[in-house]
Every structure is written in structure tokens, then in C-alpha cells.
């Protein structure tokens, strides 16, 4: 399979960076998008790479924040065939609160949940023999304090609206969006699927303040990740400071910036 970062926070090429995530993934059976980014940056960057998004057959939106699904309406205008897999609760209201300010809405366009291409899920879904979506309920290990600024209508967000993707192939790949449930907890849940590669963000930085989580949390995550014989490609909400800390301790930790590709 080949994974191309079409939307990501930083770019070292001609593609435009923006705060968000969208991965274009080609497998033996699928042309799929994992997340869509916040706006039409996805469409412009795909055009630069010669990727025809109208041919995508599957979309996975990892959770209900606009930087991962804000481009859904724009995508649906050009693609009339792909199924959009998303947890039903992702369309609930979500907010960010930091620096003592009022809660700022960061959710998705709720009108789109009625679109005929949207498939609303409640928990795990085996799409086919190649694609599996799963959720995580045990989120206790290595809690990221960067999550503490995020809310839903009931209070602090528990991220029941977050899902992760396993792609089965010659080497199985685990793909996550922000990993709000914790990369350590997600990996433990995914262990039974035997992933050899893990791709996605770890949400270790507060976007507004650009402040990383404390070092003891990073130490705990690094210690847990050392237990796995796999390659790690992180991005987006991990933050560069946290990435450097983890990469210094994990030789198979890499940064996936906008425009870069992974061939598995």
C-alpha cells in the first residue's frame, strides 16, 4: 500500500500546509481517504499530485473535529461514489477551550450526517477483508493533558466519537487521526490485529498555545512504544517538540509531513 499525506501542518514541498490531516491511501482493493482536513486544501493538494479524488471509493473520518472533516462538503461535491464511514457521535457538538476563553465550536457540519453517502457507525465495523474500524474505551494510560481543553455538550470530551483504521496487507497498518484516546491505549487495543506500521497523530500539543505536554507524559509514552516492533510515522497534533523527544528515544519514529509518501 502507499500512504500520501495530502493535508498536514508542515510542508517541505510544493503542497500547501494547513492545521489538519488527510491521508490518501492506495491498497490492493481501495483508493481511500483517511480524514479530509479543514478546507479545500485537500482538493488543491490532490490536484498538484495528480490524484483524482472523484475516484476514491472509501472515506474514513477519524473523529468529529473540523480539522479532520471540515472538507466533507467540498469532497461530496466532486465525489458521488465513496462511502463516508464516521461514528454517529462525531456529529455531536464539540468545543475547544483554552486560555480561559469561552468554548469555541470545532465540530462538523451536522447537516451532512443525513447525506446518502455517509455511513453512521456505533463502534467497530469490519468494512471488508482489508479494512477494519475500531474504537477504544480504555483510555487511562499516558493521558495527554492536551486533551483537557476539549469538550462535548456533556463536559470534558471522552472521545467516544473517535475511530481508528486497520488495513490488512503484507504488513498490517494501523492508522489514527489525533489519537485522542492515547496512542498507548490504541496500540494495546490493536495488538490483536498485528500491525507492523503505525501512522497518525498523538495529540501532545495544544494548538492555541503551541505548548507540549509535560516531559513525564512523553517519557511514559516512549517507554510503552519501545515494546512494539514496528515503524511509527507521526504528524499533525503530536507537535515538533514532542516528536523530537520521542524520535531521540525511538529510532523507528519518523515525521510524516505534507506531500510525503510511505510505501508499505
Amino acid at each position: 500500500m502507499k500512504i500520501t499525506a495530502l493535508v498536514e501542518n508542515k510542508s517541505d514541498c510544493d503542497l500547501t500546509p494547513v492545521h489538519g490531516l488527510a491521508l490518501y491511501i492506495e491498497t490492493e482493493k481501495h483508493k481511500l481517504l483517511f480524514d479530509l482536513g479543514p478546507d479545500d486544501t485537500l482538493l488543491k493538494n490532490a490536484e498538484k499530485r495528480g490524484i483524482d479524488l472523484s475516484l476514491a471509493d472509501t472515506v474514513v473520518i477519524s473523529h468529529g473535529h473540523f480539522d479532520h472533516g471540515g472538507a466533507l462538503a467540498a469532497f461530496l461535491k466532486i465525489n458521488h461514489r465513496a462511502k463516508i464511514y464516521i461514528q454517529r457521535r462525531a456529529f455531536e457538538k464539540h468545543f475547544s477551550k483554552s486560555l480561559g476563553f469561552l468554548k469555541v465550536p470545532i465540530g462538523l457540519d451536522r447537516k451532512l450526517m443525513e447525506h446518502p453517502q455517509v455511513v453512521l457507525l456505533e463502534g467497530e465495523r469490519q468494512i471488508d477483508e482489508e479494512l477494519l474500524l475500531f474504537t477504544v474505551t480504555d483510555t487511562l494510560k499516558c493521558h495527554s493533558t492536551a486533551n483537557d481543553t476539549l469538550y462535548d455538550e456533556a463536559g470534558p470530551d471522552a472521545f467516544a466519537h473517535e475511530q481508528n483504521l486497520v488495513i490488512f496487507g503484507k504488513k498490517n497498518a494501523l492508522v489514527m487521526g489525533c489519537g485522542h484516546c492515547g496512542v498507548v491505549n490504541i496500540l494495546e487495543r490493536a495488538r490483536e490485529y498485528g500491525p507492523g506500521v503505525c501512522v497518525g497523530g498523538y495529540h501532545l500539543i495544544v494548538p492555541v498555545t503551541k505548548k507540549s505536554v509535560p516531559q513525564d507524559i512523553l517519557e511514559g509514552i516512549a517507554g510503552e512504544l519501545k515494546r512494539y516492533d514496528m515503524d511509527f510515522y507521526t504528524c499533525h497534533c503530536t507537535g515538533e517538540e514532542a516528536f523530537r523527544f520521542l524520535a531521540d528515544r525511538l529510532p523507528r519514529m519518523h515525521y510524516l509531513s505534507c506531500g510525503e509518501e510511505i510505501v508499505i
Side-chain angles (χ1 to χ4, degrees), residues 134-154:
F134 71 92
T135 57
V136 173
T137 56
D138 186 354
T139 63
L140 294 177
K141 281 190 177 180
C142 302
H143 169 75
S144 171
T145 52
N147 283 337
D148 296 345
T149 62
L150 300 171
Y151 292 77
D152 57 24
E153 292 180 279

Side-chain angles (χ1 to χ4, degrees), residues 85 124-133 166 168 193:
Y85 293 92
E124 185 171 308
R125 170 69 66 92
Q126 181 92 43
I127 296 175
D128 57 24
E129 66 275 14
E130 196 175 64
L131 305 178
L132 170 75
L133 294 169
V166 176
F168 297 100
Y193 307 122

Side-chain angles (χ1 to χ4, degrees), residues 202 225 231-234 243 246-247 250-255:
Y202 303 163
L225 297 193
D231 295 305
F232 297 95
Y233 294 87
T234 195
F243 164 71
L246 296 174
L250 298 161
R252 297 170 70 180
M253 176 70 64
H254 313 279
Y255 195 96

Side-chain angles (χ1 to χ4, degrees), residues 91-263:
F91 281 106
E92 295 177 355
K93 294 181 179 180
H94 300 284
F95 308 92
S96 174
K97 182 179 180 182
S98 60
L99 301 175
F101 294 123
L102 295 176
K103 291 186 290 187
V104 177
I106 58 170
L108 305 177
D109 183 348
R110 302 181 75 180
K111 296 190 296 293
L112 295 174
M113 69 185 300
E114 305 295 337
H115 195 282
Q117 287 173 249
V118 172
V119 180
L120 299 174
L121 306 179
E122 295 184 8
E124 185 171 308
R125 170 69 66 92
Q126 181 92 43
I127 296 175
D128 57 24
E129 66 275 14
E130 196 175 64
L131 305 178
L132 170 75
L133 294 169
F134 71 92
T135 57
V136 173
T137 56
D138 186 354
T139 63
L140 294 177
K141 281 190 177 180
C142 302
H143 169 75
S144 171
T145 52
N147 283 337
D148 296 345
T149 62
L150 300 171
Y151 292 77
D152 57 24
E153 292 180 279
D157 201 330
F159 303 106
H161 55 102
E162 184 174 74
Q163 62 184 357
N164 309 280
L165 172 67
V166 176
I167 306 174
F168 297 100
K170 294 179 181 178
K171 181 182 287 188
N172 297 343
L174 165 63
V175 188
M176 64 182 76
C178 276
H180 287 291
C181 290
V183 59
V184 173
N185 304 303
I186 294 169
L187 281 167
E188 287 192 356
R189 174 66 180 79
R191 189 192 296 271
E192 63 181 286
Y193 307 122
V197 178
C198 177
V199 183
Y202 303 163
H203 205 258
L204 299 176
I205 188 173
V206 178
V208 175
T209 64
K210 308 297 183 185
K211 186 176 181 180
S212 182
V213 300
Q215 184 169 318
D216 63 323
I217 296 175
L218 298 177
E219 286 281 12
I221 292 172
E224 292 287 338
L225 297 193
K226 285 179 181 178
R227 299 165 47 203
Y228 293 91
D229 179 20
M230 66 171 60
D231 295 305
F232 297 95
Y233 294 87
T234 195
C235 52
H236 176 46
C237 55
T238 300
E240 293 189 53
E241 179 183 343
F243 164 71
R244 288 193 297 268
F245 185 98
L246 296 174
D248 285 344
R249 290 154 180 79
L250 298 161
R252 297 170 70 180
M253 176 70 64
H254 313 279
Y255 195 96
L256 180 65
S257 62
C258 192
E260 292 187 330
E261 298 178 350
I262 307 168
V263 178

